[in-house]
Every structure is written in C-alpha cells, then in structure tokens.
Amino acid sequence: MSDATALESLVDMGFPKNRAEKALAITGNQGVQLAMDWLFAHQEDPDIDEPYQAPSGNLLGKDTSDTSEGSSVEQARSLKCDECGKQLKSELDAQVSIASSYPLRSLSFSL
C-alpha cells in the first residue's frame, strides 16, 4: 500500500490528517495497521497534535562515526528485547514493538 493510500485510509477511518501523517512517519510507513496501533497507544500523549519532527543527530544503525585511523569507537547495531530476546535493528522497531504489544506494557531493551 502506498503512503498516500495509507494516509487516505487512516483519514477515512476518522483520524485527523496530522495524526495520521505523524503515525505513518513514526512507524516507518510500514502500513495502516502499525500506524493505527501507534495512534491508539499514543492518543493521550500531550504532543499528539504537534507536527512530526524527524530525529536528528546520531541514529541507531546509522554509521556517522569518524572513520579516520585511531578511531576505535564502536556503535551498537541492534537492540535486543530483554523480555522475548528478539533482535531489533532500530529504535523505531523497538517503539513499534512496544506500541504493538498487547496489553500495552513496558519492555526493556539492551544494546
């Protein structure tokens, strides 16, 4: 399903366009169901109606480290759910995992 179609579907379901756009962006445009799960999990957030701001700076899984000689800093490439052991490749995947867990509960992750 294309991003425009997913957005149209969420709006047709009654979600405000701003919230639908934010949910699709935060869930990586991976479909209507994940976006709806996120919307239901975050409907009481005080900033739910604020426009989506893409993260800046170093992102998990993005190699922005200095590659010059002598640089020995190693960055984590994945997260592991301490509860189920599932390997996740990004912080977004961890957020989606939390949002789609039912009943909603607090999950912890390690690098």
Side-chain angles (χ1 to χ4, degrees):
M1 182 177 289
S2 74
D3 296 346
T5 305
L7 178 61
E8 290 169 1
S9 295
L10 291 168
V11 171
D12 288 346
M13 290 178 201
F15 293 104
K17 184 177 179 185
N18 184 47
R19 288 185 183 195
E21 290 172 334
K22 187 174 190 174
L24 288 167
I26 288 174
T27 59
N29 293 308
Q30 294 182 19
V32 173
Q33 185 63 49
L34 282 176
M36 281 190 341
D37 291 343
W38 186 91
L39 284 164
F40 289 130
H42 295 274
Q43 63 187 347
E44 300 298 324
D45 289 2
D47 64 346
I48 187 72
D49 291 315
E50 292 180 14
Y52 173 70
Q53 297 292 320
S56 61
N58 291 339
L59 301 176
L60 185 63
K62 303 287 185 195
D63 189 7
T64 58
S65 62
D66 181 12
T67 56
S68 63
E69 283 187 43
S71 177
S72 61
V73 176
E74 181 122 359
Q75 292 185 331
R77 298 282 183 219
S78 65
L79 294 170
K80 179 180 179 183
C81 177
D82 294 334
E83 191 169 307
C84 69
K86 184 176 180 180
Q87 289 286 113
L88 304 166
K89 60 184 169 186
S90 71
E91 185 176 346
L92 174 63
D93 290 340
Q95 291 174 355
V96 169
S97 180
I98 292 168
S100 62
S101 66
Y102 185 84
L104 294 178
R105 62 185 186 276
S106 177
L107 301 176
S108 60
F109 297 89
S110 355
L111 297 176

XYZ file of all heavy atoms in Angstrom:
835
model
N 0.853 -1.177 0.000
C 0.000 0.000 0.000
C 0.891 1.230 0.000
O 1.825 1.322 0.771
C -0.890 -0.040 1.244
C -1.853 1.123 1.328
S -2.968 1.022 2.744
C -4.017 -0.311 2.265
N 0.593 2.171 -0.873
C 1.411 3.382 -0.943
C 1.143 4.278 0.252
O 0.125 4.158 0.928
C 1.102 4.143 -2.243
O -0.153 4.775 -2.151
N 2.108 5.196 0.508
C 1.977 6.111 1.633
C 0.712 6.947 1.517
O 0.004 7.161 2.498
C 3.194 7.026 1.725
C 4.470 6.246 2.010
O 4.378 5.076 2.387
O 5.558 6.837 1.853
N 0.405 7.445 0.300
C -0.781 8.275 0.101
C -2.042 7.463 0.387
O -2.972 7.955 1.024
C -0.811 8.837 -1.309
N -2.088 6.224 -0.052
C -3.246 5.382 0.175
C -3.394 5.070 1.661
O -4.505 5.069 2.188
C -3.135 4.077 -0.635
O -2.936 4.415 -2.003
C -4.371 3.236 -0.496
N -2.294 4.813 2.352
C -2.336 4.556 3.789
C -2.849 5.794 4.517
O -3.689 5.692 5.415
C -0.957 4.159 4.304
N -2.365 6.964 4.128
C -2.829 8.212 4.733
C -4.322 8.396 4.485
O -5.082 8.703 5.408
C -2.037 9.396 4.187
C -2.456 10.775 4.695
C -2.298 10.866 6.210
C -1.647 11.860 3.995
N -4.747 8.185 3.250
C -6.169 8.309 2.914
C -7.003 7.329 3.729
O -8.083 7.676 4.215
C -6.380 8.070 1.423
C -5.833 9.166 0.538
C -5.804 8.779 -0.940
O -6.227 7.655 -1.280
O -5.346 9.607 -1.749
N -6.510 6.113 3.888
C -7.249 5.108 4.659
C -7.425 5.544 6.108
O -8.520 5.426 6.674
C -6.521 3.762 4.628
O -6.494 3.242 3.331
N -6.352 6.042 6.732
C -6.433 6.495 8.118
C -7.375 7.682 8.266
O -8.170 7.741 9.207
C -5.036 6.836 8.654
C -4.110 5.643 8.855
C -2.677 6.112 9.094
C -4.588 4.767 10.002
N -7.314 8.621 7.324
C -8.208 9.789 7.358
C -9.653 9.331 7.159
O -10.559 9.802 7.856
C -7.779 10.849 6.316
C -8.821 11.943 6.187
C -6.425 11.445 6.702
N -9.881 8.395 6.242
C -11.225 7.863 6.017
C -11.770 7.163 7.261
O -12.987 7.109 7.470
C -11.253 6.888 4.835
C -11.088 7.581 3.488
O -11.225 8.827 3.431
O -10.804 6.878 2.499
N -10.875 6.614 8.088
C -11.291 5.954 9.330
C -11.628 6.965 10.431
O -12.076 6.580 11.499
C -10.186 5.011 9.822
C -9.993 3.804 8.983
S -8.621 2.845 9.663
C -8.160 1.886 8.249
N -11.331 8.236 10.166
C -11.685 9.272 11.137
C -10.521 9.871 11.893
O -10.715 10.725 12.757
N -9.305 9.430 11.590
C -8.144 10.012 12.257
C -7.825 11.368 11.618
O -7.888 11.498 10.392
C -6.911 9.100 12.133
C -7.045 7.810 12.874
C -7.305 6.630 12.191
C -6.918 7.758 14.254
C -7.432 5.429 12.875
C -7.044 6.559 14.944
C -7.297 5.393 14.251
N -7.486 12.366 12.434
C -7.074 13.655 11.855
C -5.838 13.464 10.975
O -4.960 12.641 11.269
C -6.741 14.514 13.081
C -7.484 13.875 14.215
C -7.506 12.410 13.898
N -5.767 14.224 9.887
C -4.674 14.075 8.913
C -3.313 14.247 9.574
O -2.392 13.473 9.309
C -4.837 15.084 7.775
C -3.800 14.920 6.694
C -4.023 15.877 5.548
C -2.935 15.689 4.499
N -3.044 16.666 3.429
N -3.163 15.237 10.454
C -1.884 15.479 11.127
C -1.448 14.256 11.935
O -0.296 13.838 11.883
C -1.988 16.718 12.026
C -0.669 17.067 12.677
O 0.355 17.107 12.016
N -0.702 17.313 13.968
N -2.379 13.669 12.678
C -2.058 12.481 13.483
C -1.714 11.293 12.584
O -0.801 10.532 12.873
C -3.226 12.116 14.393
C -3.422 13.073 15.544
C -4.512 12.588 16.471
N -4.748 13.555 17.532
C -5.431 13.283 18.624
N -5.963 12.088 18.801
N -5.591 14.213 19.544
N -2.466 11.136 11.498
C -2.215 10.024 10.580
C -0.832 10.148 9.942
O -0.094 9.160 9.848
C -3.303 9.976 9.507
N -0.476 11.367 9.513
C 0.855 11.585 8.927
C 1.946 11.282 9.943
O 2.957 10.645 9.617
C 0.984 13.028 8.434
C 0.160 13.345 7.228
C 0.154 14.817 6.861
O 0.358 15.685 7.734
O -0.069 15.105 5.672
N 1.743 11.725 11.167
C 2.736 11.501 12.231
C 2.894 10.001 12.517
O 4.009 9.491 12.614
C 2.293 12.242 13.498
C 3.298 12.235 14.616
C 2.799 13.125 15.757
C 3.865 13.343 16.788
N 3.443 14.301 17.824
N 1.775 9.299 12.622
C 1.823 7.863 12.907
C 2.522 7.094 11.789
O 3.337 6.203 12.056
C 0.408 7.326 13.109
N 2.225 7.437 10.549
C 2.883 6.759 9.429
C 4.379 7.029 9.418
O 5.183 6.119 9.193
C 2.247 7.187 8.105
C 0.849 6.625 7.849
C 0.170 7.353 6.693
C 0.925 5.126 7.578
N 4.771 8.276 9.698
C 6.200 8.615 9.711
C 6.922 7.892 10.839
O 7.993 7.312 10.637
C 6.373 10.129 9.853
N 6.335 7.891 12.030
C 6.986 7.271 13.185
C 7.099 5.761 13.031
O 8.073 5.162 13.474
C 6.253 7.671 14.481
C 6.542 9.146 14.777
C 6.644 6.784 15.655
C 5.789 9.734 15.939
N 6.130 5.141 12.377
C 6.180 3.685 12.186
C 6.890 3.294 10.891
O 6.856 2.142 10.486
C 4.760 3.073 12.204
O 3.978 3.664 11.164
C 4.091 3.270 13.552
N 7.542 4.257 10.245
C 8.325 3.955 9.058
C 7.482 3.630 7.844
O 7.940 2.889 6.966
N 6.266 4.151 7.790
C 5.366 3.895 6.654
C 5.248 2.406 6.359
O 5.283 1.987 5.210
C 5.824 4.666 5.417
C 5.684 6.156 5.607
O 4.628 6.639 5.982
N 6.765 6.882 5.380
N 5.105 1.617 7.423
C 5.028 0.164 7.263
C 3.600 -0.357 7.229
O 3.375 -1.544 7.392
C 5.819 -0.524 8.383
C 7.295 -0.242 8.293
C 8.078 -0.961 9.361
O 7.610 -1.930 9.949
N 9.279 -0.499 9.628
N 2.637 0.544 7.036
C 1.262 0.093 6.859
C 0.277 0.715 7.815
O 0.630 1.287 8.841
N -0.982 0.565 7.437
C -2.089 1.149 8.188
C -2.196 0.529 9.583
O -2.409 1.230 10.564
C -3.413 0.979 7.405
C -4.608 1.416 8.235
C -3.353 1.771 6.106
N -2.046 -0.788 9.686
C -2.225 -1.454 10.982
C -1.224 -0.952 12.019
O -1.601 -0.648 13.147
C -2.116 -2.974 10.826
C -2.414 -3.721 12.121
C -3.829 -3.517 12.620
O -4.786 -3.661 11.870
N -3.987 -3.168 13.889
N 0.054 -0.869 11.657
C 1.053 -0.368 12.605
C 0.786 1.083 12.977
O 0.933 1.473 14.139
C 2.466 -0.508 12.038
C 3.065 -1.903 12.101
C 4.432 -1.926 11.423
C 3.176 -2.378 13.525
N 0.392 1.876 11.999
C 0.082 3.276 12.277
C -1.113 3.378 13.230
O -1.093 4.173 14.173
C -0.198 4.030 10.978
N -2.140 2.552 13.005
C -3.297 2.557 13.910
C -2.900 2.112 15.308
O -3.329 2.700 16.305
C -4.404 1.634 13.390
C -5.219 2.245 12.300
S -6.710 1.305 11.836
C -6.464 -0.323 12.436
N -2.071 1.087 15.400
C -1.589 0.638 16.710
C -0.878 1.775 17.437
O -1.084 1.989 18.633
C -0.637 -0.557 16.573
C -1.336 -1.826 16.118
O -2.583 -1.895 16.210
O -0.629 -2.746 15.656
N -0.037 2.491 16.702
C 0.682 3.619 17.303
C -0.297 4.700 17.735
O -0.183 5.253 18.836
C 1.723 4.189 16.330
C 2.563 5.232 16.977
C 3.747 5.048 17.623
C 2.280 6.642 17.069
N 4.204 6.249 18.114
C 3.323 7.232 17.791
C 1.237 7.439 16.611
C 3.362 8.597 18.069
C 1.262 8.796 16.896
C 2.327 9.361 17.607
N -1.263 5.021 16.885
C -2.253 6.055 17.218
C -3.031 5.699 18.481
O -3.224 6.553 19.356
C -3.214 6.269 16.043
C -2.641 7.066 14.881
C -3.492 6.887 13.630
C -2.532 8.538 15.240
N -3.475 4.465 18.590
C -4.225 4.061 19.780
C -3.342 4.081 21.028
O -3.783 4.469 22.104
C -4.855 2.684 19.598
C -6.005 2.681 18.629
C -6.059 1.757 17.597
C -7.036 3.605 18.734
C -7.111 1.749 16.702
C -8.105 3.611 17.834
C -8.139 2.675 16.814
N -2.081 3.686 20.880
C -1.166 3.665 22.024
C -0.774 5.065 22.471
O -0.411 5.261 23.633
C 0.087 2.858 21.675
N -0.839 6.040 21.580
C -0.368 7.396 21.895
C -1.461 8.456 21.852
O -1.161 9.650 21.885
C 0.763 7.770 20.926
C 1.972 6.916 21.097
N 2.953 7.189 22.010
C 2.339 5.755 20.487
C 3.880 6.252 21.962
N 3.524 5.358 21.048
N -2.723 8.041 21.828
C -3.807 9.013 21.683
C -3.901 10.003 22.838
O -4.430 11.099 22.674
C -5.137 8.307 21.475
C -5.596 7.445 22.629
C -6.832 6.653 22.266
O -7.482 6.906 21.265
N -7.171 5.678 23.091
N -3.361 9.667 23.996
C -3.413 10.570 25.147
C -2.130 11.385 25.313
O -2.025 12.178 26.252
C -3.685 9.776 26.427
C -5.008 9.014 26.416
C -6.225 9.927 26.287
O -6.201 11.042 26.853
O -7.188 9.521 25.612
N -1.154 11.206 24.420
C 0.093 11.969 24.513
C -0.204 13.457 24.393
O -0.974 13.863 23.507
C 1.073 11.566 23.401
C 1.666 10.187 23.606
O 1.298 9.519 24.592
O 2.480 9.776 22.766
N 0.409 14.284 25.242
C 0.141 15.721 25.168
C 0.604 16.359 23.859
O 0.085 17.387 23.446
C 0.893 16.302 26.363
C 1.861 15.253 26.787
C 1.319 13.938 26.316
N 1.564 15.739 23.184
C 2.093 16.314 21.942
C 1.565 15.603 20.685
O 2.096 15.786 19.606
C 3.618 16.277 21.948
C 4.179 14.861 21.976
O 3.408 13.911 22.250
O 5.386 14.709 21.731
N 0.488 14.851 20.823
C -0.028 14.061 19.703
C -0.375 14.927 18.491
O -0.225 14.499 17.361
C -1.254 13.203 20.124
C -1.692 12.250 19.009
C -2.421 14.065 20.548
C -0.792 11.102 18.762
N -0.822 16.157 18.719
C -1.233 17.007 17.607
C -0.127 17.916 17.087
O -0.348 18.676 16.150
C -2.457 17.847 18.000
C -3.689 16.971 18.162
O -3.911 16.103 17.288
O -4.410 17.139 19.154
N 1.061 17.819 17.687
C 2.181 18.603 17.173
C 2.719 17.927 15.917
O 2.728 16.707 15.820
C 3.282 18.714 18.227
C 2.860 19.548 19.427
C 3.961 19.647 20.466
O 5.124 19.318 20.174
O 3.626 20.058 21.582
N 3.186 18.716 14.948
C 3.728 18.129 13.710
C 4.913 17.209 14.015
O 5.672 17.431 14.957
C 4.174 19.341 12.897
C 3.448 20.495 13.482
C 3.209 20.161 14.924
N 5.057 16.182 13.210
C 6.158 15.235 13.370
C 7.488 15.911 13.076
O 7.639 16.614 12.087
C 5.971 14.045 12.423
C 7.151 13.103 12.414
C 7.420 12.319 13.519
C 7.988 13.012 11.313
C 8.498 11.454 13.526
C 9.062 12.147 11.309
C 9.324 11.372 12.418
O 10.393 10.530 12.427
N 8.446 15.704 13.959
C 9.809 16.195 13.775
C 10.732 14.988 13.612
O 10.853 14.181 14.536
C 10.264 17.027 14.990
C 9.452 18.280 15.210
C 9.665 19.295 14.102
O 10.768 19.482 13.623
N 8.584 19.929 13.681
N 11.353 14.874 12.463
C 12.276 13.759 12.234
C 13.453 13.871 13.187
O 13.912 14.971 13.482
C 12.767 13.772 10.790
N 13.934 12.735 13.721
C 15.077 12.772 14.628
C 16.324 13.316 13.927
O 16.489 13.155 12.727
C 15.278 11.327 15.055
C 14.381 10.502 14.229
C 13.462 11.396 13.473
N 17.170 13.955 14.701
C 18.424 14.462 14.141
C 19.580 13.931 14.972
O 19.380 13.396 16.052
C 18.427 15.993 14.142
O 18.308 16.468 15.461
N 20.770 14.082 14.463
C 21.946 13.594 15.180
C 22.223 12.144 14.843
O 21.787 11.621 13.820
N 22.938 11.459 15.728
C 23.277 10.062 15.511
C 22.061 9.194 15.733
O 21.417 9.268 16.763
C 24.390 9.624 16.462
C 25.706 10.268 16.122
O 25.900 10.723 15.014
N 26.613 10.318 17.072
N 21.740 8.368 14.757
C 20.628 7.449 14.857
C 21.155 6.034 14.940
O 22.132 5.686 14.294
C 19.706 7.573 13.640
C 19.099 8.956 13.400
C 18.287 8.953 12.122
C 18.234 9.359 14.570
N 20.505 5.210 15.736
C 20.906 3.821 15.877
C 20.894 3.155 14.510
O 19.929 3.273 13.758
C 19.939 3.094 16.818
C 20.275 1.655 17.169
C 21.608 1.599 17.917
C 19.190 1.067 18.035
N 21.979 2.481 14.159
C 22.061 1.808 12.878
C 22.651 2.654 11.767
O 22.925 2.167 10.693
N 22.826 3.936 12.000
C 23.420 4.822 11.003
C 24.869 5.069 11.410
O 25.141 5.536 12.496
C 22.691 6.171 10.938
C 21.227 6.049 10.649
C 20.990 5.666 9.226
C 19.494 5.684 8.951
N 19.117 5.034 7.780
N 25.796 4.756 10.532
C 27.203 4.918 10.845
C 27.649 6.329 10.495
O 27.899 6.637 9.345
C 28.042 3.890 10.083
C 29.496 3.878 10.544
O 29.827 4.567 11.528
O 30.295 3.163 9.911
N 27.718 7.186 11.510
C 28.192 8.555 11.311
C 29.497 8.774 12.063
O 29.933 9.894 12.243
C 27.145 9.571 11.806
O 26.871 9.321 13.184
C 25.860 9.462 10.998
N 30.113 7.684 12.511
C 31.334 7.807 13.301
C 32.517 8.182 12.413
O 32.508 7.979 11.211
C 31.627 6.493 14.029
O 31.837 5.460 13.088
N 33.523 8.709 13.037
C 34.754 9.091 12.357
C 35.462 7.827 11.896
O 35.691 6.910 12.666
C 35.637 9.875 13.338
C 36.941 10.328 12.708
O 37.076 10.236 11.476
O 37.818 10.780 13.466
N 35.806 7.764 10.618
C 36.449 6.566 10.088
C 37.956 6.748 9.938
O 38.631 5.928 9.343
C 35.855 6.195 8.708
O 35.988 7.320 7.831
C 34.392 5.813 8.846
N 38.495 7.828 10.486
C 39.936 8.044 10.386
C 40.681 7.051 11.268
O 40.125 6.456 12.184
C 40.283 9.485 10.801
O 39.933 9.686 12.158
N 41.977 6.879 10.981
C 42.785 5.957 11.767
C 42.797 6.385 13.215
O 42.781 7.557 13.541
C 44.229 5.934 11.230
C 44.366 5.138 9.963
C 45.807 4.998 9.554
O 46.646 4.732 10.432
O 46.087 5.170 8.368
N 42.838 5.411 14.101
C 42.878 5.699 15.521
C 41.491 5.790 16.142
O 41.359 5.849 17.349
N 40.475 5.798 15.335
C 39.116 5.856 15.870
C 38.692 4.443 16.237
O 38.596 3.576 15.391
C 38.163 6.431 14.823
O 36.852 6.408 15.321
N 38.464 4.210 17.534
C 38.103 2.865 17.969
C 36.717 2.829 18.608
O 36.393 1.911 19.332
C 39.149 2.347 18.960
O 39.173 3.200 20.093
N 35.898 3.831 18.331
C 34.555 3.861 18.890
C 33.668 2.922 18.091
O 33.582 3.020 16.883
C 33.972 5.301 18.848
C 32.536 5.308 19.332
C 34.832 6.242 19.654
N 33.022 2.006 18.773
C 32.123 1.059 18.127
C 30.695 1.420 18.506
O 30.396 1.643 19.659
C 32.442 -0.360 18.592
C 31.583 -1.386 17.961
C 32.380 -2.420 17.217
O 33.601 -2.333 17.176
O 31.748 -3.304 16.669
N 29.822 1.482 17.518
C 28.427 1.806 17.769
C 27.586 0.545 17.743
O 27.858 -0.372 16.970
C 27.898 2.785 16.720
C 28.516 4.147 16.834
C 27.872 5.108 15.851
O 27.397 4.716 14.806
N 27.873 6.368 16.211
N 26.559 0.531 18.585
C 25.634 -0.595 18.602
C 24.880 -0.646 17.281
O 24.502 0.377 16.732
C 24.654 -0.444 19.750
N 24.672 -1.835 16.781
C 23.971 -2.010 15.513
C 22.567 -2.570 15.704
O 21.817 -2.672 14.757
C 24.757 -2.956 14.599
C 26.108 -2.419 14.241
C 25.957 -1.376 13.172
N 27.269 -0.909 12.783
C 27.547 0.333 12.503
N 26.619 1.239 12.574
N 28.746 0.689 12.156
N 22.215 -2.994 16.940
C 20.891 -3.540 17.163
C 20.513 -3.441 18.635
O 21.348 -3.173 19.485
C 20.837 -5.008 16.722
O 21.676 -5.795 17.537
N 19.247 -3.660 18.885
C 18.724 -3.730 20.239
C 18.137 -5.115 20.438
O 17.651 -5.732 19.496
C 17.602 -2.700 20.436
C 18.000 -1.244 20.370
C 16.755 -0.363 20.326
C 18.824 -0.880 21.582
N 18.166 -5.591 21.663
C 17.602 -6.898 21.971
C 16.552 -6.710 23.052
O 16.814 -6.096 24.081
C 18.692 -7.848 22.466
C 18.188 -9.221 22.820
C 19.324 -10.107 23.290
C 18.805 -11.475 23.670
N 19.889 -12.309 24.198
N 15.354 -7.217 22.803
C 14.280 -7.152 23.797
C 14.660 -8.081 24.947
O 14.905 -9.271 24.742
C 12.945 -7.572 23.191
S 11.610 -7.588 24.401
N 14.739 -7.524 26.163
C 15.120 -8.326 27.321
C 14.037 -9.337 27.693
O 14.314 -10.335 28.339
C 15.414 -7.422 28.521
C 16.637 -6.541 28.291
O 17.512 -6.934 27.492
O 16.713 -5.457 28.906
N 12.808 -9.086 27.273
C 11.702 -9.962 27.627
C 11.585 -11.171 26.696
O 11.475 -12.295 27.141
C 10.401 -9.168 27.606
C 9.239 -9.926 28.210
C 8.054 -9.024 28.415
O 8.206 -7.969 29.044
O 6.982 -9.383 27.926
N 11.627 -10.925 25.372
C 11.424 -12.031 24.429
C 12.692 -12.442 23.682
O 12.705 -13.444 22.996
C 10.327 -11.683 23.417
S 10.785 -10.388 22.242
N 13.756 -11.621 23.774
C 15.010 -11.943 23.111
C 15.079 -11.552 21.651
O 16.065 -11.819 20.971
N 14.035 -10.914 21.133
C 14.003 -10.538 19.720
C 15.030 -9.447 19.425
O 15.147 -8.481 20.154
C 12.593 -10.039 19.362
C 12.421 -9.717 17.906
C 10.979 -9.336 17.611
C 10.806 -9.019 16.147
N 9.427 -8.647 15.847
N 15.789 -9.622 18.349
C 16.759 -8.634 17.892
C 16.042 -7.609 17.026
O 15.335 -7.976 16.089
C 17.869 -9.288 17.078
C 18.820 -10.144 17.879
C 19.763 -9.321 18.720
O 19.689 -9.348 19.927
N 20.661 -8.603 18.100
N 16.227 -6.338 17.320
C 15.612 -5.257 16.566
C 16.705 -4.393 15.996
O 17.697 -4.112 16.667
C 14.683 -4.441 17.474
C 13.604 -5.263 18.175
C 12.965 -4.480 19.289
C 12.576 -5.719 17.168
N 16.526 -3.939 14.751
C 17.618 -3.216 14.103
C 17.591 -1.714 14.307
O 18.536 -1.033 13.938
C 17.661 -3.544 12.614
C 16.419 -3.196 11.850
C 16.529 -3.647 10.418
C 15.179 -3.524 9.731
N 15.193 -4.056 8.411
N 16.522 -1.188 14.907
C 16.480 0.260 15.107
C 15.626 0.618 16.316
O 14.836 -0.198 16.796
C 15.919 0.962 13.867
O 14.539 0.695 13.756
N 15.799 1.847 16.767
C 14.982 2.342 17.868
C 13.517 2.398 17.442
O 12.618 2.143 18.233
C 15.471 3.719 18.298
C 14.760 4.245 19.521
C 15.321 5.562 19.997
O 16.417 5.969 19.567
O 14.638 6.191 20.814
N 13.278 2.710 16.171
C 11.910 2.733 15.649
C 11.274 1.356 15.780
O 10.118 1.230 16.194
C 11.894 3.188 14.190
C 10.537 3.106 13.493
C 9.534 4.028 14.167
C 10.670 3.441 12.040
N 12.023 0.297 15.444
C 11.490 -1.057 15.575
C 11.138 -1.364 17.028
O 10.142 -2.021 17.313
C 12.486 -2.093 15.055
C 12.637 -2.056 13.545
O 11.738 -1.529 12.868
O 13.665 -2.551 13.052
N 11.954 -0.862 17.962
C 11.665 -1.056 19.386
C 10.385 -0.326 19.773
O 9.545 -0.861 20.498
C 12.835 -0.568 20.239
N 10.200 0.898 19.270
C 8.982 1.654 19.570
C 7.752 0.956 18.998
O 6.711 0.891 19.645
C 9.093 3.076 19.025
C 10.110 3.916 19.759
C 10.317 5.270 19.107
O 9.778 5.573 18.056
N 11.123 6.102 19.744
N 7.877 0.427 17.789
C 6.763 -0.287 17.164
C 6.454 -1.546 17.970
O 5.293 -1.876 18.201
C 7.069 -0.627 15.689
C 6.045 -1.585 15.125
C 7.145 0.646 14.868
N 7.485 -2.231 18.432
C 7.300 -3.441 19.232
C 6.545 -3.119 20.516
O 5.626 -3.834 20.909
C 8.657 -4.066 19.552
O 8.494 -5.240 20.313
N 6.904 -2.019 21.146
C 6.221 -1.600 22.371
C 4.778 -1.219 22.061
O 3.849 -1.635 22.749
C 6.960 -0.424 23.036
C 8.312 -0.896 23.580
C 6.121 0.193 24.154
C 9.236 0.221 23.990
N 4.581 -0.425 21.002
C 3.243 0.048 20.654
C 2.321 -1.090 20.252
O 1.115 -1.037 20.492
C 3.324 1.077 19.530
N 2.865 -2.123 19.641
C 2.012 -3.205 19.160
C 1.874 -4.346 20.169
O 1.158 -5.302 19.909
C 2.536 -3.743 17.827
O 3.817 -4.284 17.996
N 2.542 -4.246 21.323
C 2.393 -5.287 22.339
C 1.051 -5.116 23.022
O 0.630 -4.013 23.329
C 3.537 -5.230 23.349
O 3.486 -4.039 24.093
N 0.341 -6.200 23.200
C -0.959 -6.126 23.850
C -1.021 -7.158 24.945
O -0.662 -8.302 24.704
C -2.084 -6.365 22.849
C -3.426 -6.165 23.502
C -3.950 -4.888 23.612
C -4.127 -7.225 24.043
C -5.165 -4.684 24.226
C -5.336 -7.018 24.662
C -5.858 -5.749 24.753
O -7.042 -5.538 25.376
N -1.447 -6.858 26.124
C -1.788 -5.498 26.545
C -0.528 -4.650 26.606
O 0.580 -5.174 26.746
C -2.397 -5.686 27.933
C -1.787 -6.972 28.438
C -1.541 -7.828 27.216
N -0.717 -3.344 26.489
C 0.432 -2.444 26.496
C 1.204 -2.627 27.785
O 0.652 -2.651 28.870
C -0.025 -0.992 26.354
C -0.666 -0.660 25.009
C -1.123 0.787 25.009
C 0.299 -0.897 23.879
N 2.495 -2.771 27.643
C 3.347 -2.950 28.814
C 4.695 -2.316 28.539
O 5.019 -1.975 27.409
C 3.498 -4.423 29.135
C 4.157 -5.229 28.035
C 4.161 -6.719 28.377
N 4.896 -7.490 27.421
C 4.423 -7.934 26.277
N 3.206 -7.660 25.929
N 5.163 -8.651 25.469
N 5.455 -2.187 29.562
C 6.780 -1.601 29.427
C 7.773 -2.714 29.104
O 7.867 -3.699 29.819
C 7.164 -0.914 30.741
O 8.462 -0.410 30.648
N 8.479 -2.570 28.005
C 9.512 -3.528 27.610
C 10.864 -2.886 27.791
O 11.002 -1.678 27.667
C 9.325 -3.948 26.148
C 8.009 -4.605 25.772
C 7.958 -4.869 24.281
C 7.808 -5.895 26.541
N 11.865 -3.670 28.084
C 13.215 -3.118 28.190
C 14.091 -3.725 27.103
O 13.883 -4.866 26.686
C 13.799 -3.383 29.581
O 13.871 -4.775 29.829
N 15.071 -2.926 26.665
C 15.953 -3.341 25.573
C 17.394 -3.121 25.967
O 17.713 -2.204 26.710
C 15.635 -2.527 24.307
C 14.246 -2.763 23.803
C 13.185 -1.984 24.249
C 13.986 -3.769 22.904
C 11.896 -2.193 23.802
C 12.696 -3.988 22.443
C 11.663 -3.207 22.896
N 18.284 -3.978 25.487
C 19.721 -3.805 25.705
C 20.437 -3.731 24.383
O 19.941 -4.206 23.379
C 20.332 -4.964 26.482
O 19.456 -5.892 26.923
N 21.582 -3.113 24.407
C 22.408 -2.988 23.183
C 23.175 -4.257 22.970
O 23.449 -5.010 23.816
C 23.367 -1.815 23.308
C 22.679 -0.463 23.436
C 23.709 0.614 23.654
C 21.880 -0.148 22.196
